Amino acid sequence: MSGGELSGSAKQTAIAPLYVVAHDLKSPLALTRQLLLVAQRDGISDQERAMLLRRATLLTDRTLRLTSDLTRTATMTDSQLTVEPLNVWQLCEQVARDARPLYQEYGRQLAMSRRLARRASSLGLANRDYLWRVIMQLVDNALHYGAADTPV
């Protein structure tokens, strides 16, 4: 084996994250394709077609955000992971504002529990961007995998 080649186990270790990325991207891409195929059918109203296209656009935005998050995480160095004092409640409110259009499109409700506000309004130390992305991913997952008849 020459100096630039990886051994079998090293190659598997290097490729393993690609399977995770492929899996995480497959679902939203398949759903986007399905929405667009349905939107192309004859016999659906203009209103239904517009709704399908809005959903496809929001889903594409989510997929692009996921791709960006995965790329950023994979290339992040320790020096880029700086922490700062931040108000976690305010960060959660920002995530809720950012996610609300997607929730509204699916007829779902995203609610912030006021009784948790006092506990969550204290300052914490975190990387604002990274924590925002983690919370947003949880909110995205809750929309698609949570019970449809309860608010998130």
Short mmCIF file of all heavy atoms in Angstrom, two decimals, residues 4-5 13 17 20 26 29-30 37 40 42-43 47 58 66 70 84 86 88-89 94-95 99 103 118 121 126 135 141:
data_model
loop_
_atom_site.label_atom_id
_atom_site.label_comp_id
_atom_site.label_asym_id
_atom_site.label_seq_id
_atom_site.Cartn_x
_atom_site.Cartn_y
_atom_site.Cartn_z
N GLY A 4 -0.36 7.27 0.29
CA GLY A 4 -1.60 8.02 0.20
C GLY A 4 -2.87 7.21 0.30
O GLY A 4 -3.96 7.75 0.36
N GLU A 5 -2.75 5.88 0.31
CA GLU A 5 -3.94 5.03 0.34
C GLU A 5 -4.37 4.73 1.77
O GLU A 5 -3.55 4.65 2.67
CB GLU A 5 -3.65 3.71 -0.38
CG GLU A 5 -3.44 3.86 -1.86
CD GLU A 5 -3.17 2.53 -2.53
OE1 GLU A 5 -3.70 1.51 -2.04
OE2 GLU A 5 -2.44 2.51 -3.51
N THR A 13 -14.16 3.82 7.92
CA THR A 13 -14.38 4.88 8.90
C THR A 13 -14.59 6.22 8.20
O THR A 13 -15.43 7.02 8.60
CB THR A 13 -13.20 4.97 9.88
OG1 THR A 13 -13.05 3.70 10.52
CG2 THR A 13 -13.42 6.05 10.92
N PRO A 17 -19.62 8.38 7.57
CA PRO A 17 -20.46 9.58 7.65
C PRO A 17 -21.23 9.87 6.37
O PRO A 17 -22.30 10.47 6.41
CB PRO A 17 -19.46 10.70 7.95
CG PRO A 17 -18.29 10.01 8.57
CD PRO A 17 -18.23 8.66 7.91
N VAL A 20 -24.65 8.40 6.53
CA VAL A 20 -25.55 9.18 7.38
C VAL A 20 -26.08 10.37 6.60
O VAL A 20 -27.28 10.65 6.61
CB VAL A 20 -24.82 9.65 8.67
CG1 VAL A 20 -25.68 10.60 9.47
CG2 VAL A 20 -24.40 8.45 9.50
N LYS A 26 -32.04 11.79 1.79
CA LYS A 26 -32.92 10.99 0.94
C LYS A 26 -34.39 11.27 1.20
O LYS A 26 -35.18 11.44 0.27
CB LYS A 26 -32.63 9.50 1.15
CG LYS A 26 -33.42 8.60 0.25
CD LYS A 26 -33.07 7.15 0.50
CE LYS A 26 -33.90 6.24 -0.37
NZ LYS A 26 -33.62 4.83 -0.09
N LEU A 29 -35.64 14.74 -0.13
CA LEU A 29 -35.58 14.75 -1.59
C LEU A 29 -36.68 13.90 -2.20
O LEU A 29 -37.31 14.28 -3.18
CB LEU A 29 -34.21 14.27 -2.07
CG LEU A 29 -33.06 15.25 -1.84
CD1 LEU A 29 -31.73 14.60 -2.19
CD2 LEU A 29 -33.26 16.53 -2.61
N ALA A 30 -36.93 12.73 -1.61
CA ALA A 30 -37.99 11.85 -2.11
C ALA A 30 -39.35 12.52 -1.94
O ALA A 30 -40.21 12.45 -2.83
CB ALA A 30 -37.95 10.51 -1.37
N LEU A 37 -44.41 15.67 -8.44
CA LEU A 37 -45.12 14.76 -9.35
C LEU A 37 -46.63 14.91 -9.20
O LEU A 37 -47.37 14.93 -10.20
CB LEU A 37 -44.70 13.31 -9.09
CG LEU A 37 -43.30 12.92 -9.57
CD1 LEU A 37 -42.93 11.53 -9.08
CD2 LEU A 37 -43.20 13.03 -11.08
N GLN A 40 -47.96 18.01 -10.89
CA GLN A 40 -48.01 17.94 -12.35
C GLN A 40 -49.25 17.22 -12.88
O GLN A 40 -49.56 17.30 -14.06
CB GLN A 40 -46.77 17.21 -12.89
CG GLN A 40 -45.49 17.99 -12.70
CD GLN A 40 -44.28 17.18 -13.16
OE1 GLN A 40 -44.40 16.03 -13.56
NE2 GLN A 40 -43.12 17.79 -13.06
N ASP A 42 -52.97 16.11 -13.92
CA ASP A 42 -54.19 16.78 -14.38
C ASP A 42 -55.28 16.54 -13.34
O ASP A 42 -55.25 15.56 -12.61
CB ASP A 42 -54.64 16.22 -15.73
CG ASP A 42 -53.68 16.61 -16.85
OD1 ASP A 42 -53.01 17.65 -16.72
OD2 ASP A 42 -53.61 15.86 -17.84
N GLY A 43 -56.23 17.41 -13.28
CA GLY A 43 -57.38 17.19 -12.42
C GLY A 43 -57.25 17.76 -11.02
O GLY A 43 -58.14 17.58 -10.21
N GLN A 47 -55.52 25.86 -6.64
CA GLN A 47 -55.24 26.05 -5.22
C GLN A 47 -54.43 24.88 -4.67
O GLN A 47 -53.47 25.08 -3.93
CB GLN A 47 -56.56 26.21 -4.45
CG GLN A 47 -56.38 26.50 -2.98
CD GLN A 47 -57.72 26.66 -2.28
OE1 GLN A 47 -58.78 26.54 -2.87
NE2 GLN A 47 -57.67 26.92 -0.99
N LEU A 58 -40.79 24.94 0.68
CA LEU A 58 -40.40 24.89 2.09
C LEU A 58 -39.55 23.67 2.39
O LEU A 58 -38.59 23.74 3.15
CB LEU A 58 -41.64 24.92 2.99
CG LEU A 58 -42.39 26.25 3.02
CD1 LEU A 58 -43.75 26.07 3.69
CD2 LEU A 58 -41.58 27.31 3.73
N LEU A 66 -30.29 21.64 5.88
CA LEU A 66 -29.68 20.42 6.38
C LEU A 66 -28.32 20.18 5.72
O LEU A 66 -27.34 19.86 6.38
CB LEU A 66 -30.60 19.23 6.15
CG LEU A 66 -30.06 17.85 6.52
CD1 LEU A 66 -29.73 17.78 8.00
CD2 LEU A 66 -31.07 16.77 6.15
N LEU A 70 -24.80 20.07 7.68
CA LEU A 70 -23.91 18.92 7.62
C LEU A 70 -22.52 19.33 7.15
O LEU A 70 -21.51 18.89 7.69
CB LEU A 70 -24.49 17.83 6.72
CG LEU A 70 -25.73 17.12 7.26
CD1 LEU A 70 -26.37 16.28 6.16
CD2 LEU A 70 -25.39 16.27 8.46
N GLU A 84 -20.69 31.75 23.87
CA GLU A 84 -21.03 33.08 24.35
C GLU A 84 -22.23 32.97 25.28
O GLU A 84 -23.01 32.02 25.19
CB GLU A 84 -21.35 34.00 23.17
CG GLU A 84 -22.57 33.52 22.37
CD GLU A 84 -22.87 34.37 21.17
OE1 GLU A 84 -23.53 35.42 21.35
OE2 GLU A 84 -22.46 33.98 20.07
N LEU A 86 -25.86 33.47 26.28
CA LEU A 86 -27.06 33.75 25.51
C LEU A 86 -28.30 33.33 26.29
O LEU A 86 -28.25 32.48 27.16
CB LEU A 86 -27.02 33.07 24.13
CG LEU A 86 -26.83 31.56 24.06
CD1 LEU A 86 -28.17 30.85 24.04
CD2 LEU A 86 -26.06 31.23 22.81
N VAL A 88 -31.41 31.37 26.28
CA VAL A 88 -31.90 30.20 25.56
C VAL A 88 -33.36 30.40 25.15
O VAL A 88 -33.77 30.00 24.05
CB VAL A 88 -31.72 28.93 26.41
CG1 VAL A 88 -32.31 27.72 25.70
CG2 VAL A 88 -30.25 28.71 26.71
N TRP A 89 -34.16 31.04 26.00
CA TRP A 89 -35.57 31.27 25.67
C TRP A 89 -35.70 32.13 24.42
O TRP A 89 -36.49 31.84 23.53
CB TRP A 89 -36.28 31.93 26.85
CG TRP A 89 -37.72 32.19 26.57
CD1 TRP A 89 -38.30 33.37 26.22
CD2 TRP A 89 -38.78 31.22 26.58
NE1 TRP A 89 -39.65 33.21 26.02
CE2 TRP A 89 -39.97 31.90 26.24
CE3 TRP A 89 -38.84 29.87 26.85
CZ2 TRP A 89 -41.19 31.26 26.16
CZ3 TRP A 89 -40.07 29.24 26.77
CH2 TRP A 89 -41.22 29.93 26.44
N GLN A 94 -36.70 32.62 18.52
CA GLN A 94 -36.22 32.87 17.16
C GLN A 94 -36.44 31.64 16.28
O GLN A 94 -36.90 31.75 15.15
CB GLN A 94 -34.73 33.23 17.19
CG GLN A 94 -34.15 33.46 15.81
CD GLN A 94 -32.65 33.68 15.83
OE1 GLN A 94 -32.03 33.79 16.87
NE2 GLN A 94 -32.07 33.72 14.65
N VAL A 95 -36.13 30.46 16.80
CA VAL A 95 -36.36 29.22 16.04
C VAL A 95 -37.85 29.08 15.73
O VAL A 95 -38.23 28.73 14.60
CB VAL A 95 -35.84 27.99 16.81
CG1 VAL A 95 -36.32 26.70 16.18
CG2 VAL A 95 -34.32 28.01 16.90
N ALA A 99 -39.47 28.76 12.05
CA ALA A 99 -40.13 27.52 11.66
C ALA A 99 -41.64 27.68 11.45
O ALA A 99 -42.27 26.82 10.85
CB ALA A 99 -39.89 26.45 12.72
N TYR A 103 -44.71 25.19 9.64
CA TYR A 103 -45.77 24.60 10.46
C TYR A 103 -47.14 25.03 9.96
O TYR A 103 -48.07 24.23 9.89
CB TYR A 103 -45.59 24.99 11.93
CG TYR A 103 -44.72 24.01 12.69
CD1 TYR A 103 -43.36 23.94 12.47
CD2 TYR A 103 -45.27 23.14 13.62
CE1 TYR A 103 -42.57 23.04 13.15
CE2 TYR A 103 -44.50 22.23 14.31
CZ TYR A 103 -43.14 22.19 14.07
OH TYR A 103 -42.36 21.29 14.75
N ARG A 118 -39.76 31.14 32.63
CA ARG A 118 -38.93 31.64 33.74
C ARG A 118 -37.64 30.84 33.87
O ARG A 118 -36.57 31.39 34.05
CB ARG A 118 -39.70 31.63 35.04
CG ARG A 118 -40.67 32.79 35.19
CD ARG A 118 -41.23 32.84 36.59
NE ARG A 118 -42.14 31.74 36.82
CZ ARG A 118 -43.45 31.79 36.62
NH1 ARG A 118 -44.00 32.91 36.23
NH2 ARG A 118 -44.21 30.76 36.84
N SER A 121 -35.32 31.40 30.69
CA SER A 121 -34.86 32.74 30.36
C SER A 121 -33.52 33.08 31.00
O SER A 121 -33.00 34.14 30.76
CB SER A 121 -35.92 33.78 30.76
OG SER A 121 -36.08 33.78 32.16
N ALA A 126 -23.18 28.88 25.15
CA ALA A 126 -23.29 28.00 23.99
C ALA A 126 -22.82 28.74 22.75
O ALA A 126 -22.69 29.97 22.76
CB ALA A 126 -24.73 27.53 23.81
N ILE A 135 -31.56 23.00 17.61
CA ILE A 135 -32.97 23.19 17.99
C ILE A 135 -33.86 23.17 16.75
O ILE A 135 -34.92 22.56 16.74
CB ILE A 135 -33.16 24.48 18.81
CG1 ILE A 135 -32.41 24.39 20.14
CG2 ILE A 135 -34.64 24.76 19.05
CD1 ILE A 135 -32.32 25.70 20.89
N ASN A 141 -37.89 17.81 12.89
CA ASN A 141 -38.23 16.40 13.13
C ASN A 141 -39.59 16.27 13.82
O ASN A 141 -40.37 15.38 13.49
CB ASN A 141 -37.15 15.71 13.96
CG ASN A 141 -35.89 15.47 13.18
OD1 ASN A 141 -35.87 15.50 11.96
ND2 ASN A 141 -34.81 15.24 13.90
#
